[in-house]
Amino acid sequence: MTAAPPTIAPAGGALATDDLSAYYGTLEAVGNVSIAFRRKSVTALIGPSGCGKTTLLRCLNRLHELTFDACVSGRVLLEDCDIYEWGMDPMAIRRRIGMVFQRPNPFPTLSILDNAVACGGRRLNRRAKIEVAERALRAAALWDEVKDKLTRSPLQLSGGQQQRLCIARAVAAEPEVLLMDEPTASLDPIATAVIEELMARLAERFTIVAVTHNMQQAARVSDVTAFMLADADGTGRLIEVDDTAKLFTKPSDPRTEDYITGRFG
Amino acid sequence: MSPIDRGFAAVVYGGSVLFALLIVGLFVELVLGSWPSLKAFGPSFIWHSAWDPVANKFGALPMIYGTVVTSLIAIVLAAFVGIMAAVFLADFAPRWIATPLSFLIELLAAVPSVVYGLWGLFVLAPLVRTAIGPALQHVLGWTPLFSGPIYGVGLLTGGIILALMIVPTVTAISREVIAAIPRDLREASMALGSTHWETATRVVLPAARIGIFGACVLGLGRALGETIAVTMVIGNRPEISASLFAPSYTLASVIANEFTEATTSLYISALIELGLILFLVSIVVNALARLMIWRVRGSRA
Ligand SMILES: Nc1ncnc2c1ncn2[C@@H]1O[C@H](COP(=O)(O)OP(=O)(O)O)[C@@H](O)[C@H]1O
Ligand SMILES: [Mg+2]
């Protein structure tokens, strides 16, 4: 990574899975998912609780394998390169694929500034740090709210601000893909609206995959929606992927229709 | 309030008052017991280094020095080893190693200190005399800390024994504190492309620092007051020397060692005054630590 990464996101961000399955011990939580995420767009992953959305998302940046007894089969292609191929460096992969979690999780012992530049910021001097942080915090629509308290603790921020700080932290690494796991699940409606708006802007620079179990949110923020459902064995299957407008108006699978009309889940 | 609530409140209230009274009572008792010595030597008792019962000259400095130095050696060694072990057990070791190992370490805390003392006398002291001491002297002999003859028993051996005794406490508590750090925080770090090691040292340890500090203070408290094991390996000589190889004495060990042979009332009261000092030092150490913990918490809240 260079000290001053370019403001315009580089090309890249083509992400796809090929026959991807994920396991917790003997439980196959996600089964045979093949999906190509649209570049520089928001793809929403929807489905009832426990259908494997989080698990699928965590396979995309090799976080799944950190869970005790977890493993993965199949391929995840980032720019036509299988990130699970032997010899791939998971650390390098994770710097190319940022992640935002369900609950805001800024590093409690670092300042707001150091949180924003947590990835690789240690090597920068203070001026370069502030430069990188400003760019990331502006991208996360947080700069104006924190520019006068960069040295404060992130725990003084509201939940929504903390979540945007986490987005800034991920964005500062200049990734190609941004994974978001129910990023607004713990936020109030106003903070949620701010982040939804932000997601649309971030999609100009990143390929975004966002889990949500809120269908209105999927309809509002995403270009493409993927619907998942667990089968009788508890294995999450990909049922249908389509343009969001199409999926919510004319779903081609009856199970999708049942779900979006609220008949189950 | 219902009668039961009122009764409960009374018991709790009474209990805490009782504790306060106990501490005050202990303090008063110690002051009364050391009165002859307090009257004879005044505050100079603390900085006089002569401890000569035959000549009726008593000064506490050698024991204060021995207590402080052995405790410092112990806490430095134990903090380093204990924190590393805790990180290993909580974040690196696979479960089938971590579970039995944690259990074993917690068992170590239950070994009676006289057993540590015996081991120190028969194994550690010879080891210090023949191997550890000469090796340290070879490398660091140019500093006064590691110069002079190596007896085997002395400050260093006492410090190491204390470290061994408090390492289980430091490890067990630190491990619990580290394990309580939310998974989310580790994953946030891993998701940014950090290694396990970077995550442990830059995210988990800083987040757990208050609890780890508490674990170390608890260890220090135990080291300050530990008596029998140190008495067996410290050399029991009321002297102050720069060398860590030199024999020394601690507040607790001189009391244990000499109380039965103290014949004059001045001698006895001097020993009690040492107890008073140990009591005050322990309280001050704990209070300071708590104050620091509060301040760290306060600046974050
Ligand atoms: N750490 C884990 N260990 C074992 N099973 C898990 C773990 N996490 C999730 N699961 C199981 O995997 C399935 C999918 O979970 P998850 O991906 O969290 O679903 P979602 O995010 O769609 O609610 C569920 O059946 C859940 O019980
Ligand atoms: Mg989930």
Side-chain angles (χ1 to χ4, degrees):
Chain A
M1 231 173 66
T2 54
T7 343
I8 295 150
L15 184 71
T17 72
D18 174 26
D19 199 28
L20 183 77
S21 300
Y23 305 82
Y24 294 102
T26 53
L27 171 73
E28 184 178 6
V30 171
N32 313 97
V33 169
S34 298
I35 178 172
F37 298 100
R38 191 179 293 172
R39 285 189 63 230
K40 314 282 157 96
S41 307
V42 179
T43 301
L45 277 180
I46 63 168
S49 221
C51 71
K53 307 180 295 292
T54 297
T55 306
L56 174 60
L57 200 71
R58 289 162 57 90
C59 290
L60 302 180
N61 65 345
R62 296 195 59 170
L63 219 54
H64 180 65
E65 68 206 46
L66 298 179
T67 305
F68 177 72
D69 221 14
C71 68
V72 172
S73 74
R75 300 192 302 161
V76 174
L77 302 163
L78 179 61
E79 295 292 307
D80 293 322
C81 198
D82 181 9
I83 66 171
Y84 281 100
E85 199 167 293
W86 199 82
M88 288 298 261
D89 173 14
M91 266 65 83
I93 299 290
R94 291 181 197 129
R95 280 193 285 271
R96 292 174 64 190
I97 305 181
M99 188 166 212
V100 177
F101 294 76
Q102 191 163 342
R103 244 169 311 139
N105 55 0
F107 299 129
T109 55
L110 299 185
S111 65
I112 292 173
L113 175 68
D114 287 330
N115 260 281
V117 297
C119 180
R122 294 167 71 86
R123 273 159 292 164
L124 305 176
N125 64 31
R126 193 173 158 80
R127 268 199 37 212
K129 250 190 202 179
I130 293 182
E131 228 166 83
V132 173
E134 175 172 353
R135 201 152 46 220
L137 289 166
R138 277 190 194 282
L142 187 61
W143 174 252
D144 290 330
E145 290 159 61
V146 299
K147 63 173 184 251
D148 298 322
K149 42 183 175 180
L150 289 174
T151 55
R152 300 263 193 87
S153 162
L155 303 181
Q156 299 176 347
L157 301 175
S158 71
Q161 288 173 323
Q162 288 187 20
Q163 192 63 306
R164 277 179 283 147
L165 180 59
C166 294
I167 294 175
R169 180 175 68 185
V171 165
E174 296 282 328
E176 298 159 45
V177 178
L178 209 50
L179 309 175
M180 305 178 118
D181 188 359
E182 305 199 31
T184 63
S186 62
L187 304 181
D188 63 69
I190 293 172
T192 299
V194 173
I195 288 194
E196 286 180 3
E197 200 176 306
L198 179 59
M199 287 167 73
R201 276 211 284 130
L202 290 171
E204 293 165 13
R205 291 171 58 193
F206 310 104
T207 301
I208 297 183
V209 183
V211 169
T212 171
H213 65 219
N214 175 338
M215 278 180 286
Q216 286 73 36
Q217 180 169 69
R220 280 194 301 265
V221 303
S222 69
D223 306 290
V224 178
T225 299
F227 173 59
M228 289 180 72
L229 193 60
D231 64 17
D233 301 325
T235 302
R237 306 272 174 196
L238 181 63
I239 304 298
E240 184 173 354
V241 193
D242 216 327
D243 282 351
T244 299
K246 165 103 188 328
L247 188 126
F248 278 104
T249 50
K250 281 196 290 280
S252 45
D253 194 292
R255 289 169 293 181
T256 312
E257 182 160 7
D258 285 347
Y259 183 69
I260 61 177
T261 53
R263 242 165 279 169
F264 67 91
Chain B
M1 271 203 297
S2 75
I4 292 180
D5 276 349
R6 215 170 301 147
F8 183 71
V11 168
V12 171
Y13 187 72
S16 32
V17 169
L18 201 71
F19 262 113
L21 281 179
L22 212 65
I23 290 185
V24 172
L26 205 58
F27 177 74
V28 169
E29 188 65 30
L30 283 169
V31 170
L32 287 181
S34 50
W35 195 249
S37 161
L38 280 168
K39 219 167 50 185
F41 306 110
S44 71
F45 184 74
I46 293 174
W47 62 77
H48 271 193
S49 56
W51 184 267
D52 188 350
V54 181
N56 257 340
K57 283 168 84 178
F58 299 100
L61 195 60
M63 293 68 159
I64 294 177
Y65 177 79
T67 304
V68 169
V69 171
T70 49
S71 296
L72 278 182
I73 295 173
I75 199 61
V76 168
L77 291 178
F80 182 74
V81 174
I83 293 171
M84 288 299 137
V87 169
F88 172 74
L89 289 172
D91 277 4
F92 287 87
R95 258 179 230 190
W96 61 272
I97 298 179
T99 311
L101 210 58
S102 310
F103 180 71
L104 270 179
I105 288 175
E106 270 152 51
L107 268 189
L108 273 184
V111 174
S113 62
V114 66
V115 177
Y116 279 101
L118 278 177
W119 183 84
L121 195 56
F122 291 116
V123 181
L124 184 62
L127 207 64
V128 167
R129 192 175 57 238
T130 57
I132 301 174
L136 280 172
Q137 197 157 61
H138 186 76
V139 184
L140 296 163
W142 51 274
T143 63
L145 281 181
F146 298 100
S147 57
I150 305 167
Y151 298 99
V153 293
L155 286 167
L156 182 67
T157 313
I160 295 175
I161 274 290
L162 282 176
L164 277 172
M165 297 180 66
I166 63 178
V167 133
T169 316
V170 175
T171 307
I173 298 177
S174 302
R175 187 187 66 84
E176 274 171 41
V177 171
I178 290 172
I181 299 299
R183 231 179 109 86
D184 259 28
L185 224 50
R186 293 164 218 259
E187 294 193 332
S189 170
M190 295 301 288
L192 286 172
S194 309
T195 60
H196 278 285
W197 178 246
E198 286 166 342
T199 300
T201 54
R202 293 178 194 166
V203 174
V204 178
L205 280 182
R209 66 178 195 271
I210 293 170
I212 290 176
F213 183 75
C216 291
V217 170
L218 224 73
L220 182 63
R222 186 165 174 207
L224 282 173
E226 171 51 41
T227 312
I228 194 68
V230 186
T231 310
M232 292 166 84
V233 297
I234 190 89
N236 298 338
R237 215 185 293 165
E239 285 169 7
I240 298 177
S241 18
S243 171
L244 296 185
F245 299 131
S248 180
Y249 232 159
T250 67
L251 291 166
S253 59
V254 72
I255 297 171
N257 235 7
E258 300 190 359
F259 209 83
T260 47
E261 45 192 71
T263 41
T264 66
S265 66
L266 189 62
Y267 194 177
I268 292 177
S269 69
L271 287 171
I272 295 178
E273 190 173 349
L274 292 182
L276 178 65
I277 294 172
L278 184 57
F279 176 79
L280 290 177
V281 167
S282 305
I283 284 186
V284 167
V285 163
N286 276 286
L288 268 182
R290 254 153 247 266
L291 218 75
M292 282 173 75
I293 290 175
W294 279 337
R295 282 185 56 182
V296 176
R297 280 216 185 108
S299 71
R300 286 215 290 139

